[in-house]
């Protein structure tokens, strides 16, 4: 403490700290407090947790990056600490049975207190309805790119000879993963730029991932260029998770995509075949097995096991902040912990079927959330569904 380090050196040291460490060093003295409050450090923390690389001072208004970060964390914790009586909910009128939820976007990255959730859905007539860039795959194997919220058509690229069943854009929007309906077709990863601005007569830049029978896939929000596949045998008795890192390389004046397998493991035979999966920090995979939610390392080490549902988990949602599971007519909310501390996932809140009076003989077929809302699609026995929307009563 007797030696006063230069501001640049101190800022570099502080850049290795997490949220709690940065708040602690800011209390040491005025010099450290001034450095710890710098926009550079708080912007770096924000980029690690959220996709806000396109944010500018204009988006922040009069707020600093520290104020922005703490505001976002308060919104996350408010949902994580909520109890069932803190929620208000509303139920829509009947909607078509085939309607699927495709996108839910609340004001996750704003410092505006007015939080509104926007639902994007696909209608029975194959119409895309919405209220950045999003990709949509169709039954003919084409990838369409639209802007939101105007839904302006940007491009159309034929990716497969068969229909597309899985289509995921990476968190940094650099890659698009696509998998066809034909089980023997290898999944592909496309460079988004080649989809947005396809050259006439040329094939979009892509690479195959050498694993067939892909049942699901997810990008890692906190490690760029990392994707995990869930591969299952045709009998469903063998499940394997494979994690890849992607890079681009210039060869002979051309860009080439390369995929490197960095880890894999097989699920134990006694576990029920997983249906849903997700990832967070690049080294952990979360998936369901019957009524259980399991957290594994990408090398196959069991980290956590949750038993918050009595019946089998029938739906699942994962993003960088939350994990949602549904079973019959109930929802459970989990939150990812920061800094690699135990536990990695924290069980938060259980919501029972408060919409029971509105429908009988139903089940939750889709679930999504953001910092503002939790949205469920509840499918009825008849050819219709309802949307149930929870919001914190603030």
């Amino acid at each position: 403490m007797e030696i006063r380090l230069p501001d640049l050196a101190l800022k570099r040291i502080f850049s290795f700290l997490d949220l709690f460490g940065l708040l602690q060093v800011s209390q040491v003295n005025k010099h450290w407090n001034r450095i710890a409050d710098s926009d550079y450090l708080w912007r770096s923390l924000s980029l690690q947790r959220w996709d806000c690389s396109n944010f500018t001072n204009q988006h922040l208004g009069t707020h600093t990056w520290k104020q922005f970060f703490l505001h976002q964390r308060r919104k996350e914790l408010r949902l994580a600490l909520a109890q069932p009586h803190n929620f208000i909910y509303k139920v829509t009128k009947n909607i078509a049975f085939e309607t699927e939820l495709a996108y839910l976007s609340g004001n996750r990255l704003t410092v505006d207190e007015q939080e509104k959730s926007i639902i994007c859905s696909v209608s029975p007539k194959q119409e895309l309805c919405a209220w950045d860039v999003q990709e949509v795959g169709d039954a003919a194997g084409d990838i369409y790119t639209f802007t939101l919220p105007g839904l302006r058509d940007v491009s159309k690229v034929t990716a497969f000879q068969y229909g597309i069943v899985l289509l995921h854009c990476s968190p940094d929007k650099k890659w698009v993963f696509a998998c066809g309906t034909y089980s023997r077709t290898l999944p592909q990863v496309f460079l988004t730029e080649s989809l947005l601005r396809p050259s006439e007569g040329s094939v979009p830049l892509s690479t195959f991932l050498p694993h067939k029978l892909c049942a699901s896939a997810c990008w890692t929000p906190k490690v760029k260029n990392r994707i995990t596949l869930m591969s299952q045998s045709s009998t469903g008795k063998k499940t394997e998770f494979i994690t890849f890192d992607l890079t681009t390389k210039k060869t002979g004046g051309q860009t080439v995509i390369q995929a490197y397998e960095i880890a894999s493991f097989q699920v134990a035979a006694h576990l029920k075949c997983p249906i849903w999966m997700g990832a967070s920090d690049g080294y952990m995979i979360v998936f369901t097995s019957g009524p259980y939610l399991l957290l594994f390392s990408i090398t196959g080490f069991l980290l956590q096991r949750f038993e918050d549902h009595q019946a089998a988990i029938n739906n699942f949602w994962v993003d960088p902040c939350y994990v949602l599971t549904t079973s019959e007519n109930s929802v459970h909310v989990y939150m990812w912990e920061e800094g690699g501390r135990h536990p990695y996932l924290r069980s938060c809140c259980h919501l029972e079927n408060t919409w029971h009076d509105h429908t009988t003989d139903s089940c939750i077929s889709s679930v999504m959330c953001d910092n503002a809302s939790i949205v469920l699609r509840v499918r009825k026995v008849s050819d219709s569904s309802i949307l149930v929307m929870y919001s914190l009563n603030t």
Side-chain angles (χ1 to χ4, degrees):
M1 295 298 296
E2 295 178 356
I3 301 175
R4 185 184 176 99
L5 292 175
D7 288 2
L8 187 60
L10 204 56
K11 186 181 295 185
R12 175 62 175 165
I13 294 171
F14 287 178
S15 69
F16 293 97
L17 299 176
D18 60 10
L19 166 64
F20 306 103
L22 199 55
L23 291 175
Q24 285 179 319
V25 298
S26 69
Q27 300 178 51
V28 172
N29 55 43
K30 291 183 179 180
H31 179 216
W32 283 27
N33 179 273
R34 178 174 58 82
I35 301 299
D37 275 357
S38 69
D39 270 359
Y40 169 82
L41 294 173
W42 288 98
R43 182 178 184 275
S44 178
L45 282 180
S46 299
L47 288 173
Q48 291 174 25
R49 187 160 185 84
W50 306 293
D51 179 21
C52 54
S53 55
N54 294 326
F55 260 52
T56 63
N57 291 336
Q58 185 177 359
H59 291 97
L60 293 175
T62 59
H63 297 80
T64 65
W65 276 100
K66 180 179 180 180
Q67 290 170 329
F68 167 80
F69 184 96
L70 295 178
H71 176 80
Q72 295 304 127
R73 286 293 289 143
R74 281 194 293 269
K75 290 202 298 184
E76 290 179 2
L77 292 173
R78 188 179 64 187
L79 179 59
L81 298 175
Q83 296 302 311
H85 64 269
N86 298 130
F87 288 91
I88 57 175
Y89 76 96
K90 62 181 179 179
V91 180
T92 68
K93 62 183 179 180
N94 287 354
I95 60 176
F97 180 81
E98 296 90 349
T99 299
E100 292 293 340
L101 300 181
Y103 185 69
L104 172 68
S105 176
N107 272 345
R108 179 182 296 282
L109 296 179
T110 69
V111 286
D112 184 358
E113 291 295 344
Q114 295 182 347
E115 298 174 348
K116 297 180 180 179
S117 293
I118 298 173
I119 300 172
C120 179
S121 64
V122 181
S123 76
K125 297 180 180 179
Q126 297 185 353
E127 295 172 334
L128 182 64
C129 309
W131 284 280
D132 323 14
V133 173
Q134 297 292 318
E135 279 79 20
V136 178
D138 68 5
D142 300 320
I143 297 177
Y144 294 86
T145 306
F146 299 89
T147 61
L148 284 177
L151 294 181
R152 180 176 59 84
D153 190 353
V154 177
S155 66
K156 172 190 173 182
V157 172
T158 300
F160 291 94
Q161 295 179 345
Y162 309 94
I164 296 174
V165 292
L166 295 176
L167 190 70
H168 302 299
C169 188
S170 64
D172 62 358
K173 309 299 187 293
K174 182 178 180 180
W175 311 96
V176 174
F177 170 85
C179 185
T181 54
Y182 184 54
S183 62
R184 295 297 175 182
T185 302
L186 292 175
Q188 285 181 260
V189 174
F190 295 85
L191 196 63
T192 304
E193 184 178 354
S194 68
L195 294 176
L196 295 178
R197 290 181 288 273
S199 301
E200 187 174 353
S202 65
V203 178
L205 189 60
S206 67
T207 189
F208 290 99
L209 299 181
H211 279 274
K212 298 178 182 179
L213 304 174
C214 179
S216 187
C218 64
W219 293 97
T220 300
K222 296 184 180 180
V223 177
K224 292 182 178 180
N225 309 333
R226 181 166 293 182
I227 188 170
T228 298
L229 308 187
M230 183 171 75
S231 177
Q232 291 180 336
S233 63
S234 56
T235 60
K237 295 182 178 180
K238 178 182 175 183
T239 301
E240 184 179 12
F241 289 94
I242 313 101
T243 301
F244 294 92
D245 277 351
L246 300 165
T247 61
T248 55
K249 182 180 179 181
K250 290 283 187 180
T251 304
Q254 293 184 335
T255 302
V256 177
I257 303 175
Q258 296 178 325
Y260 300 95
E261 182 179 324
I262 63 167
S264 65
F265 72 95
Q266 290 188 11
V267 176
H270 69 274
L271 291 176
K272 191 172 181 179
C273 184
I275 300 176
W276 312 97
M277 64 167 293
S280 176
D281 73 343
Y283 301 95
M284 295 182 287
I285 303 168
V286 60
F287 60 89
T288 63
S289 178
Y292 308 121
L293 180 69
L294 304 174
L295 184 66
F296 274 79
S297 69
I298 60 174
T299 56
F301 182 72
L302 177 62
L303 302 173
Q304 283 182 286
R305 175 190 177 111
F306 295 94
E307 303 179 16
D308 295 301
H309 294 283
Q310 295 182 349
I313 295 172
N314 58 17
N315 224 289
F316 187 64
W317 166 263
V318 179
D319 71 8
C321 301
Y322 307 105
V323 175
L324 268 64
T325 55
T326 72
S327 175
E328 294 180 341
N329 284 336
S330 66
V331 182
H332 200 89
V333 181
Y334 304 85
M335 187 172 187
W336 290 105
E337 294 285 4
E338 286 186 298
R341 297 181 179 86
H342 291 279
Y344 303 98
L345 268 178
R346 177 156 56 91
S347 178
C348 297
C349 178
H350 195 85
L351 301 173
E352 293 293 344
N353 55 336
T354 50
W355 61 91
H356 180 72
D357 293 340
H358 300 274
T359 181
T360 57
D361 298 324
S362 61
C363 66
I364 300 171
S365 58
S366 300
V367 60
M368 293 181 176
C369 85
D370 56 20
N371 283 338
S373 306
I374 296 174
V375 177
L376 315 174
R377 174 177 173 255
V378 181
R379 187 171 59 190
K380 300 166 66 175
V381 173
S382 59
D383 290 343
S384 63
S385 301
I386 61 172
L387 289 181
V388 181
M389 288 162 281
Y390 284 91
S391 298
L392 284 172
N393 186 9
T394 56

